[in-house]
Amino acid sequence: MSRENDGFVFHRGLLQGVLDIVFRAINFFARWDHLPTLLAAANLSVFRDRLREHNLHHTGYGTTSPGWSTGNERWRSADGSFNSLDHPRMGMAGARFGRNFPLPECVPDSGNDLLDPSPRVISQELLARHTFIPATSINLLAAAWIQFETHNWFSHGLPKPGNEFKIPLPPGDDWPEEELIDGCMKIRRTVCDGSTREPWLGATPTFRNLNSHWWDAGQIYGSSRERQMQIRSGVDGKIAVGNDGMLPADPDHQGADLTGFNDNWWVGLGLLHNLFAREHNVICDGLKTRYPTWGDEELFQRARLINAALIAKIHTVEWTPGILGHPALDLSMHANWSGIPNRVLRAVLGKDSEAAYGIIGSPTDQHSAPYAMTEEFTAVYRLHPLVPDKMEVRKLDTTDSKSYDLVDMQGRASRAFMQTHGFVDLLYSFGTAHPGAIRLHNYPNFLRKFTKDEQPLLDVAAIDIMRDRERGVPRYNRFRELVGKKRVTTFEEITSIPGAARKMRAIYKGDVDRVDLMVGLLAEDLPDGFGFSDTAFRIFILMASRRLKSDRFFTDDYRAEVYTDFGLDWIQNNGMKSVLLRHVPQLGPALEGVNNSFAPWNVSGG
Amino acid sequence: MALVISIPGLVRLAIVRDPDELLRVNDAGTVTRPLSGRGGLFNRSVAAKLAAFRTADGDIWPAFRDRYDPLRAVHQAKLESRLSNVEPLLQDIAPEITELGNYVGGGHAHRGMGVVVQQAVGRLFFADYVASEESYEAARTLQAWLSAWPLRACWIKHSGALKASLDRIEAASRGNMACAHATALALENLVMSIELMRELARHGDNLAKIEPQEAAIRTLRAPARVVRETRDGDFIGTLRLRSRTLILLALEDAHQQDAAKLGFAFFTGTWNQCPAHGLVPTLLRKVWEGAKTSAERRA
């Protein structure tokens, strides 16, 4: 393994070895989520170590060595290079996606098997939303947040025409005639990786990430120096904003704000981008006050470091426990960031223990492979059911509300919608609306017949299914096995959603091994409090920690010399609520008594 | 019908002997060459043995490349095109063929027959390939590694013999993985065929009576077993295979059921046909002819 993984090897400690055996025995009798909180959190830590050992696989970098720029040692480079000073290409924009499974497991089906069963039939029969199923424990800002974050982590690029998949349509399908090719629905393929393939890749396809793989707020700051310079004001390190305090329009992308990454733009992204652009500028002000001799570049880069870390913290200790409402998760995610607040445990486990003191500030470790986002990670983050088809836009100062179609709040219409309804009211509306539950039969219908610039008419649900298949992500049952869960033998073992097992059996012709990953994840019965499946969560356990542990700026270089004392305090003392209240103090009543900003806010009486 | 053995935690295995069934299994979409090692201890041990056949930079030996590996198809086509030029290639190894003919005809060999076979095979790739007792011993070690019981396998691995043998074979093959495979693993069948030819020649007046083509048919040996794995459960014809079943394709058994079809031993006509499917039977015929000539000369 080490030869393929560029020399990285996982080193298991004695305690980890012992705990592994103990929890194998415990899990023989009890699932992790049924254990008492502390034991369950320890169980998750054991899962994570197993995954770190077996579920990180290198696919080569697929990019050339970047040139050194001044400051790379002190702050994040625009393209993510030199995060690892020994392996400068690791995680940079344009580097390949890695894998969570051994490469021979990540080979797409051949020939007709790739299109079987029809993704269009799955879209219609298993995914289409009949009635909106809300996720009542979180607000719509949580849905926008995860898209905001995934735009930081990955992009496969915009598919190009030519050599499309031809998806046969079932009888009576109303897909428009003019969109057909040879009587079939067309789905463009993922942009191919044109870099030289290493001979050990075997039959595993590789794809490149246009964005930097790191948790560096690249969605705000871009993944290239050129983009970074476009979004900057050039004064005091600040991001350019208009006279109204909002991000300017992107001249090349109608309806979208000028920001680091603005693909698939909609109002939800506009809110968060504006919020954290303002946060960046406030941080710049704070730094400028304390370090008046710093120029624009130094202020910008330091503020970026602080802002990116704050976003990572919010994601770790607020968004995640918000969507995965299990007490062990709450404990584990806080432990990931700042360790277990127990003096005895800290003394026993020692200063470098990530369990005792948190990953933040602990030594950097890539474990068994060079850091990269993985195809499997992108697959488990297909969370489109979070998006509703309609949304109530409320006004903070009145009880008025009006329902709008989401389709009218996205793409070219986004900025106009924001201007019409205003930043404050829209934030309030997002905070008080529910997203969809991540379940079967809850895929937004407007995305199943979706128009996007420079693309054919899209059934995004069918595309989601095809993306996993074409990228060689294993189907659901094998995916379960490869993340350390038992395979299921019947459809009823997957789901108790009424009628779902019967429908799946018919579509998959009784073969439970053929169930698509996304279908299985959406069908799976959830642990108590969870917003998405336990199978997806296994990848999450591994990658959520890895985004921090592999990144020098969250580990070895999380120190005052890099962040400044002001920066460390800022990250320590702030969270989503304080960010919201700093920039939109009018939200005070709506957020009063709300512990987690991704939980539903108070609806005011006007 | 295949024999399926499943003992939870120990083994999940299917042995396929029927020629038609074997071809169906070999062609099935869910059946792969790379082994995951899942399914039981036995499955894990077999997978661990095959995992040794990787170069220092992680390159994969051709016989272990998966069906849809683009490099496999390219290498296979390139090698097949090279080996299809049979007559000039056999001219290049005429001295080795003469030596083997002499051996089959009952003559005294100056060096081990296996060494001669290895050199003949190696010279199909490099005109100056030189085999020795040491290089042949390395090949024998690698063959033994694949079929050894756990204790012996453990000894081969931990004594350093495995690593040394791989290094020796790869060095002699100058990084050409097809050459490494041919001179380490594939030559085993050729050696067996030559031994059978010698046996055949010793009995009565077989050498004079039997035509070269007939001799080749009688003595050609296919690999005893070829391993595969089912990634997911599936029905292949009437055979139901669970996920992670280790499949042993008993190629030689199947071949013997209709030995006249020489192509079967080489998976001819399938995605994984051996690039030497045309060369080896001709080589055996030449050896038999050489044996006749040698015997006549001695007489």
Side-chain angles (χ1 to χ4, degrees):
Chain A
M1 183 186 289
S2 63
R3 286 182 293 194
E4 295 103 290
N5 285 355
D6 205 18
F8 289 98
V9 181
F10 179 77
H11 298 285
R12 180 187 283 265
L14 182 63
L15 179 63
Q16 289 166 315
V18 172
L19 286 175
D20 186 71
I21 295 167
V22 169
F23 276 99
R24 275 184 198 280
I26 291 174
N27 291 149
F28 192 77
F29 299 102
R31 279 172 24 178
W32 73 269
D33 54 303
H34 292 165
L35 297 173
T37 302
L38 205 57
L39 263 184
N43 204 159
L44 293 180
S45 165
V46 168
F47 284 153
R48 184 174 64 183
D49 284 333
R50 271 184 217 151
L51 293 161
R52 281 171 168 174
E53 186 171 3
H54 300 293
N55 289 72
L56 295 171
H57 297 272
H58 185 45
T59 57
Y61 296 108
T63 183
T64 50
S65 222
W68 175 265
S69 302
T70 310
N72 278 352
E73 76 285 12
R74 283 173 296 164
W75 52 64
R76 294 179 183 279
S77 65
D79 62 2
S81 59
F82 291 99
N83 190 302
S84 165
L85 295 171
D86 295 331
H87 297 79
R89 290 178 294 169
M90 189 192 292
M92 70 178 284
R96 286 187 189 138
F97 285 93
R99 291 285 181 171
N100 286 120
F101 303 134
L103 301 192
E105 300 288 347
C106 305
V107 177
D109 289 337
S110 58
N112 291 336
D113 286 350
L114 191 64
L115 303 183
D116 181 53
S118 162
R120 176 64 177 169
V121 171
I122 294 169
S123 163
Q124 290 175 320
E125 299 293 322
L126 292 172
L127 302 179
R129 178 178 281 156
H130 303 307
T131 50
F132 177 63
I133 309 168
T136 52
S137 62
I138 49 177
N139 62 31
L140 192 53
L141 210 52
W145 178 270
I146 192 56
Q147 191 187 19
F148 176 69
E149 287 292 71
T150 56
H151 280 188
N152 176 354
W153 300 325
F154 51 78
S155 167
H156 283 80
L158 211 56
K160 302 278 188 297
N163 196 22
E164 289 91 350
F165 291 112
K166 293 175 186 169
I167 313 296
L169 297 176
D173 194 310
D174 62 350
W175 198 250
E177 192 75 27
E178 63 275 14
E179 291 290 336
L180 300 181
I181 177 169
D182 300 336
C184 298
M185 171 197 265
K186 56 190 173 205
I187 293 182
R188 290 183 180 174
R189 291 171 195 260
T190 305
V191 179
C192 70
D193 171 12
S195 60
T196 308
R197 283 173 65 82
E198 288 79 356
W200 43 263
L201 286 170
T204 306
T206 56
F207 302 94
R208 295 162 72 188
N209 188 352
L210 293 193
N211 293 347
S212 134
H213 298 237
W214 302 103
W215 211 349
D216 56 2
Q219 76 274 43
I220 298 171
Y221 302 103
S223 285
S224 68
R225 183 72 180 167
E226 294 72 36
R227 188 62 173 176
Q228 194 174 93
M229 295 314 289
Q230 284 173 358
I231 65 143
R232 289 170 61 170
S233 70
V235 179
D236 292 342
K238 291 189 178 179
I239 291 174
V241 291
N243 293 332
D244 56 356
M246 303 293 283
L247 289 168
D250 183 345
D252 300 326
H253 193 156
Q254 197 180 340
D257 294 345
L258 182 61
T259 186
F261 184 87
N262 58 13
D263 196 13
N264 297 324
W265 195 257
W266 68 300
V267 166
L269 288 178
L271 293 173
L272 291 167
H273 274 268
N274 273 287
L275 188 68
F276 283 92
R278 292 177 184 200
E279 184 70 1
H280 172 94
N281 289 349
V282 169
I283 296 169
C284 287
D285 287 337
L287 287 170
K288 174 88 174 162
T289 309
R290 286 157 186 81
Y291 304 97
T293 58
W294 283 3
D296 174 66
E297 178 72 5
E298 183 111 28
L299 286 167
F300 175 85
Q301 299 297 357
R302 303 276 188 171
R304 179 200 178 153
L305 273 170
I306 297 163
N307 205 19
L310 178 58
I311 291 171
K313 179 189 170 190
I314 291 170
H315 186 90
T316 304
V317 301
E318 295 186 62
W319 183 85
T320 306
I323 197 160
L324 300 170
H326 190 285
L329 247 293
D330 196 41
L331 176 69
S332 299
M333 298 317 290
H334 280 89
N336 256 10
W337 192 263
S338 49
I340 300 168
N342 181 304
R343 274 185 298 176
V344 178
L345 265 178
R346 286 186 169 199
V348 170
L349 294 171
K351 190 79 185 106
D352 285 344
S353 162
E354 60 186 52
Y357 287 88
I359 292 174
I360 303 304
S362 69
T364 312
D365 197 340
Q366 310 300 339
H367 302 292
S368 52
Y371 174 77
M373 282 294 159
T374 62
E375 295 294 353
E376 290 70 31
F377 179 77
T378 66
V380 300
Y381 268 105
R382 297 190 194 289
L383 303 177
H384 286 122
L386 283 168
V387 180
D389 281 291
K390 286 180 179 296
M391 185 192 142
E392 287 287 311
V393 175
R394 300 176 198 272
K395 291 194 178 300
L396 195 55
D397 50 1
T398 68
T399 51
D400 290 353
S401 73
K402 191 175 172 192
S403 178
Y404 289 89
D405 289 335
L406 253 278
V407 74
D408 296 328
M409 301 165 59
Q410 57 83 39
R412 289 167 178 253
S414 307
R415 281 182 63 84
F417 195 90
M418 179 83 90
Q419 279 156 6
T420 305
H421 296 279
F423 183 58
V424 178
D425 282 339
L426 282 175
L427 261 179
Y428 172 61
S429 303
F430 270 68
T432 50
H434 293 304
I438 304 168
R439 309 297 288 144
L440 285 184
H441 303 303
N442 204 24
Y443 205 99
N445 286 319
F446 82 92
L447 285 180
R448 296 181 50 254
K449 206 168 193 177
F450 185 62
T451 308
K452 186 176 173 180
D453 289 348
E454 298 172 37
Q455 294 288 310
L457 188 65
L458 307 173
D459 177 345
V460 181
I463 292 173
D464 276 348
I465 296 287
M466 276 314 294
R467 289 290 174 255
D468 288 349
R469 290 186 191 173
E470 73 163 320
R471 292 172 190 165
V473 176
R475 295 202 185 203
Y476 174 72
N477 219 6
R478 192 147 48 86
F479 194 99
R480 279 179 68 101
E481 179 189 41
L482 292 165
V483 294
K485 299 182 69 172
K486 272 190 182 164
R487 282 193 184 231
V488 291
T489 53
T490 64
F491 292 92
E492 285 74 13
E493 279 180 69
I494 302 176
T495 186
S496 61
I497 297 174
R502 180 181 48 78
K503 271 190 182 175
M504 286 161 68
R505 186 180 296 108
I507 289 171
Y508 290 100
K509 301 186 186 83
D511 188 350
V512 76
D513 284 348
R514 297 291 296 164
V515 172
D516 283 282
L517 175 66
M518 192 174 87
V519 171
L521 298 181
L522 294 179
E524 193 176 300
D525 292 331
L526 310 178
D528 287 345
F530 264 44
F532 56 77
S533 71
D534 183 54
T535 303
F537 174 62
R538 301 302 172 103
I539 294 294
F540 176 91
I541 296 173
L542 172 66
M543 299 302 289
S545 301
R546 183 163 169 76
R547 289 194 301 264
L548 299 172
K549 187 69 177 169
S550 294
D551 188 328
R552 139 170 95 92
F553 293 103
F554 290 128
T555 48
D556 287 342
D557 279 347
Y558 191 80
R559 52 197 169 91
E561 292 84 345
V562 175
Y563 279 81
T564 70
D565 284 321
F566 163 79
L568 294 181
D569 288 345
W570 191 274
I571 299 161
Q572 168 80 20
N573 298 328
N574 281 293
M576 189 64 180
K577 192 168 175 175
S578 65
V579 172
L580 284 164
L581 291 177
R582 178 162 34 252
H583 303 293
V584 194
Q586 303 94 309
L587 292 175
L591 281 164
E592 194 173 333
V594 175
N595 290 326
N596 187 323
S597 303
F598 297 108
W601 300 352
N602 308 317
V603 179
S604 58
Chain B
M1 191 65 186
L3 172 67
V4 179
I5 304 166
S6 186
I7 305 171
L10 285 182
V11 63
R12 196 178 298 165
L13 176 71
I15 303 170
V16 185
R17 291 198 172 87
D18 176 70
D20 293 334
E21 191 166 49
L22 187 146
L23 289 176
R24 269 199 304 275
V25 170
N26 182 57
D27 197 41
T30 190
V31 173
T32 62
R33 259 180 172 176
L35 307 184
S36 69
R38 293 169 186 269
L41 282 176
F42 179 75
N43 302 46
R44 184 180 297 186
S45 95
V46 174
K49 284 182 176 177
L50 296 197
F53 291 93
R54 295 207 143 199
T55 66
D57 62 358
D59 200 355
I60 309 163
W61 284 37
F64 306 117
R65 282 197 177 274
D66 202 6
R67 181 176 185 171
Y68 299 105
D69 183 340
L71 274 183
R72 181 200 61 78
V74 169
H75 288 167
Q76 187 182 32
K78 221 160 97 182
L79 187 58
E80 179 141 4
S81 149
R82 188 176 141 70
L83 296 185
S84 63
N85 216 358
V86 175
E87 285 304 327
L89 279 172
L90 294 183
Q91 280 296 321
D92 291 347
I93 56 169
E96 285 79 17
I97 292 176
T98 306
E99 210 172 337
L100 291 172
N102 184 42
Y103 175 77
V104 169
H108 181 69
H110 299 292
R111 53 182 175 163
M113 182 270 290
V115 179
V116 182
V117 172
Q118 192 179 42
Q119 180 156 307
V121 171
R123 289 194 172 187
L124 295 173
F125 296 87
F126 302 106
D128 56 347
Y129 185 97
V130 179
S132 61
E133 292 295 343
E134 290 76 20
S135 66
Y136 183 60
E137 188 52 38
R140 297 283 301 149
T141 304
L142 296 183
Q143 292 156 20
W145 162 250
L146 285 179
S147 54
W149 286 91
L151 268 180
R152 186 166 179 219
C154 191
W155 169 250
I156 292 173
K157 184 176 181 182
H158 294 291
S159 65
L162 175 65
K163 179 80 174 61
S165 301
L166 281 167
D167 288 350
R168 186 179 288 276
I169 291 290
E170 284 172 8
S173 305
R174 299 164 212 183
N176 182 327
M177 294 295 102
C179 178
H181 170 75
T183 55
L185 304 181
L187 92 162
E188 184 184 16
N189 309 312
L190 207 47
V191 169
M192 217 180 295
S193 295
I194 301 289
E195 286 293 3
L196 284 169
M197 270 192 168
R198 188 175 157 99
E199 280 292 308
L200 189 65
R202 275 168 53 186
H203 287 93
D205 55 351
N206 277 351
L207 196 55
K209 213 166 60 185
I210 296 175
E211 290 303 312
Q213 175 68 15
E214 175 67 14
I217 289 173
R218 286 206 199 178
T219 58
L220 181 75
R221 286 294 172 268
R225 288 173 300 277
V226 173
V227 291
R228 299 277 189 273
E229 182 187 288
T230 48
R231 284 201 310 202
D232 296 316
D234 203 1
F235 277 95
I236 300 169
T238 54
L239 176 64
R240 180 178 179 269
L241 292 174
R242 290 175 59 196
S243 60
R244 307 302 185 188
T245 300
L246 180 71
I247 302 171
L248 296 185
L249 301 177
L251 193 59
E252 175 56 15
D253 285 1
H255 167 233
Q256 286 306 323
Q257 291 177 44
D258 189 359
K261 284 187 186 164
L262 293 182
F264 198 88
F266 301 98
F267 279 113
T268 307
T270 67
W271 63 270
N272 55 327
Q273 81 174 6
C274 172
H277 65 98
L279 186 134
V280 171
T282 313
L283 171 65
L284 290 178
R285 285 199 295 273
K286 293 276 183 195
V287 170
W288 187 255
E289 283 166 10
K292 280 185 169 193
T293 312
S294 157
E296 283 163 12
R297 213 172 30 238
R298 276 201 302 278

